[in-house]
Amino acid sequence: MVKSKRPLISINPLNGETLKTFHEMTPDELDKAIGRADNAFVEWSKRSFSERATILKRAGQLFEERADELAKLMAQEMGKKVNDGLGELALCAEIFAYYAEEGEKILAPQHLSTREGEGTLVFQPLGVVYGIQPWNFPFYQPSRFTAANLIAGNVVLTKHASNVPQCAEAFEQLLFDAGVPKGVYTNLPITSAGAAPIIDDDRVKGISFTGSNAAGAKVAEQAGRNVKKTVMELGGVDPFIVLEDADMDLTVERFVEGKLGNCGQICLAAKRIILTEPIADEFLGRVTKLFEQLKPGDPLEDTTDYGPLCTEKAAEQLEEQVSESVKAGAHLLVGGKRNGAFVEPGILTDIPAGSPAAEEELFGPIACVWVVKDEKAAIEMANDSRFGLGGSVYTKDHERGQRVAEKLECGTAFVNHVASSYASMPMGGVKKSGYGRELGELGIKEFVNQKLIRHFN
């Protein structure tokens, strides 16, 4: 047996303490895990929806029962504030409950009556599907992929981010405790270098990836060579458009929520703040004052305003992006300084084209602000991006909000609320933010064979 060479190390970003070390699977162990999953599919796919739903319901209940301990684990392993973690776990519980309750109805055979005759559309599981998951939502990200596929009759392999191995292990154990058979769900403790061969394996039928554009492009290219279905949720620089008739109290509240939730480490976070001229000074004055009052601290403490980023390396990268943007001519109104893995919430204005703040995704608590003349200019600014994940617009006029939201080039648009995820509603992106959908009715149909059965008399 080939020995593993690279450990997966769980490190507390608050203080750099090593919490636990995991050994990477060997190639032989990985091959056997895929084989167990392939074999497990035969029995799992034959189970009734009712049987599978019972297990999913129990998993949802366990997320509720274990919320405190799992939130603490996230705080220690990737720096998420406990309250943010509890919110994530509540969403996990809802996702499992939703698919347990709605999966059979969504995937029920559909009778087709067309101008060319009668038919039936049936939805059949594909087999072994493979999810490559990021660290920023260690339980939500695998939940949205796993719950949909398990109720559909697929079996799931997961390569989780290397910096959250304890969360990955806890997720797998929760599913086993809920009654998911071994092989139906498998956590693969492997590094990125060890993940690629799984895509080439003929026993694996589909791949879902959430992460950076560069890594996603490589996964999609490899999957394409193997003619395998993929879903990609990649980067985002979501616009947060504030029109002159916005409710300022609500808008500022939503901004803080959308910028500082999970310390800004969210694909759907408010990243490009686009202000119309009449309200720009008031908005910037209010949020600058709020940011000046924020205090860092232990994410386990209720009094903490913001915790560390996921790793010190991530904080260093964000610091460099801010520094290079300032050198290029951007103005740092407040914050932006780094201390270890902590980065002060900050606001950049007067951002020049070509700078990191204008061209890249700043994954952290730094708001990039543009001031424009009017609604038309705001929409143009919002769409002037290679990304298209989410976006939001703030106005007291419902019809105006609907009109602007429809014009945004993104997969998820919100009016008077930051872009968010819901178990029953689909999410995903366009342009360089990816393709395919997760959650809701669309999410469950990504990795099933939508087979036509044609009827003749």
Side-chain angles (χ1 to χ4, degrees):
M1 179 180 291
V2 179
K3 293 184 178 180
S4 173
K5 296 181 180 180
R6 296 186 62 184
L8 284 74
I9 305 174
S10 174
I11 297 174
N12 188 337
L14 176 70
N15 51 27
E17 176 189 359
T18 296
L19 301 173
K20 193 172 182 180
T21 299
F22 294 77
H23 295 292
E24 182 175 12
M25 297 179 94
T26 66
D28 183 54
E29 291 169 336
L30 179 57
D31 181 72
K32 289 179 179 178
I34 298 173
R36 283 192 296 271
D38 192 40
N39 291 333
F41 170 68
V42 176
E43 190 276 334
W44 181 253
S45 63
K46 292 178 181 177
R47 289 202 186 189
S48 67
F49 275 103
S50 177
E51 290 177 288
R52 297 197 292 258
T54 297
I55 294 174
L56 262 67
K57 286 180 182 177
R58 182 56 186 149
Q61 293 168 352
L62 288 177
F63 273 113
E64 294 176 340
E65 294 172 12
R66 299 179 183 179
D68 288 340
E69 64 179 91
L70 297 180
K72 180 179 179 181
L73 180 59
M74 282 190 281
Q76 293 174 324
E77 192 164 51
M78 48 78 61
K80 180 171 296 192
K81 289 175 55 180
V82 166
N83 283 341
D84 287 348
L86 291 174
E88 174 179 342
L89 295 162
L91 179 55
C92 294
E94 177 57 28
I95 289 170
F96 276 89
Y98 168 76
Y99 281 119
E101 295 166 7
E102 304 294 334
E104 183 174 9
K105 288 182 283 185
I106 296 171
L107 296 179
Q110 296 179 10
H111 176 69
L112 303 178
S113 181
T114 77
R115 59 193 292 171
E116 295 174 311
E118 306 296 311
T120 303
L121 190 64
V122 297
F123 304 94
Q124 298 176 327
L126 295 180
V128 180
V129 293
Y130 175 37
I132 302 173
Q133 306 296 350
W135 51 265
N136 57 338
F137 288 90
F139 292 99
Y140 158 70
Q141 297 282 3
S143 288
R144 70 185 191 185
F145 179 66
T146 300
N149 280 293
L150 292 189
I151 197 65
N154 291 322
V155 300
V156 176
L157 302 172
T158 295
K159 183 263 183 259
H160 216 322
S162 298
N163 63 317
V164 288
Q166 290 194 87
C167 290
E169 182 182 59
F171 183 88
E172 181 182 52
Q173 188 60 54
L174 182 149
L175 293 186
F176 290 161
D177 292 345
V180 174
K182 298 290 179 68
V184 171
Y185 180 86
T186 307
N187 172 50
L188 304 173
I190 53 178
T191 61
S192 297
I198 302 170
I199 300 172
D200 293 329
D201 196 297
D202 288 339
R203 293 167 293 184
V204 176
K205 307 303 181 184
I207 301 96
S208 178
F209 175 89
T210 300
S212 72
N213 291 76
K218 292 179 181 179
V219 170
E221 180 182 6
Q222 185 179 356
R225 290 197 300 269
N226 287 277
V227 196
K228 293 183 180 180
K229 173 69 183 291
T230 56
V231 169
M232 294 280 143
E233 198 236 284
L234 308 177
V237 289
D238 291 14
F240 182 101
I241 299 174
V242 186
L243 301 176
E244 68 280 357
D245 63 345
D247 179 327
M248 195 55 62
D249 290 337
L250 173 67
T251 301
V252 170
E253 178 183 334
R254 298 299 191 212
F255 165 76
V256 173
E257 175 187 349
K259 186 68 260 176
L260 299 185
N262 200 25
C263 213
Q265 301 168 112
I266 306 175
C267 293
L268 286 169
K271 296 196 177 80
R272 287 187 299 154
I273 316 306
I274 302 172
L275 311 174
T276 49
E277 288 178 350
I279 49 79
D281 289 343
E282 180 185 358
F283 180 90
L284 287 172
R286 291 175 65 162
V287 298
T288 298
K289 185 176 181 180
L290 283 173
F291 273 28
E292 289 173 339
Q293 298 170 355
L294 297 173
K295 302 297 182 185
D298 188 333
L300 289 170
E301 300 294 333
D302 291 338
T303 56
T304 293
D305 291 321
Y306 66 95
L309 268 64
C310 63
T311 64
E312 187 166 351
K313 181 179 179 181
E316 290 171 350
Q317 179 180 339
L318 182 60
E319 178 187 40
E320 182 178 355
Q321 289 174 306
V322 172
S323 176
E324 290 301 313
S325 297
V326 171
K327 288 180 182 178
H331 180 209
L332 186 62
L333 284 183
V334 63
K337 296 179 181 178
R338 181 181 69 86
N339 181 13
F342 287 85
V343 175
E344 293 176 344
I347 300 171
L348 285 169
T349 62
D350 304 317
I351 298 167
S355 65
E359 304 296 333
E360 301 172 8
E361 180 178 23
L362 273 59
F363 215 58
I366 304 296
C368 301
V369 177
W370 284 264
V371 178
V372 298
K373 182 179 179 180
D374 54 21
E375 174 189 310
K376 182 175 182 294
I379 295 170
E380 290 175 352
M381 171 63 72
N383 292 335
D384 184 20
S385 170
R386 60 195 179 100
F387 297 100
L389 189 57
S392 57
V393 57
Y394 299 82
T395 173
K396 293 177 183 177
D397 185 333
H398 175 79
E399 292 183 1
R400 186 185 192 190
Q402 178 72 23
R403 181 180 69 247
V404 173
E406 289 182 1
K407 292 180 180 179
L408 297 181
E409 296 171 356
C410 58
T412 305
F414 283 67
V415 179
N416 293 327
H417 199 286
V418 290
S420 303
S421 297
Y422 300 87
S424 59
M425 297 182 184
M427 69 157 292
V430 296
K431 300 197 282 190
K432 294 294 185 181
S433 288
Y435 52 81
R437 293 294 179 264
E438 294 190 275
L439 300 172
E441 293 190 17
L442 299 184
I444 198 174
K445 292 179 179 178
E446 288 286 359
F447 292 103
V448 294
N449 178 14
Q450 302 183 40
K451 180 193 292 185
L452 171 68
I453 299 176
R454 180 75 166 87
H455 295 262
F456 289 92
N457 291 328

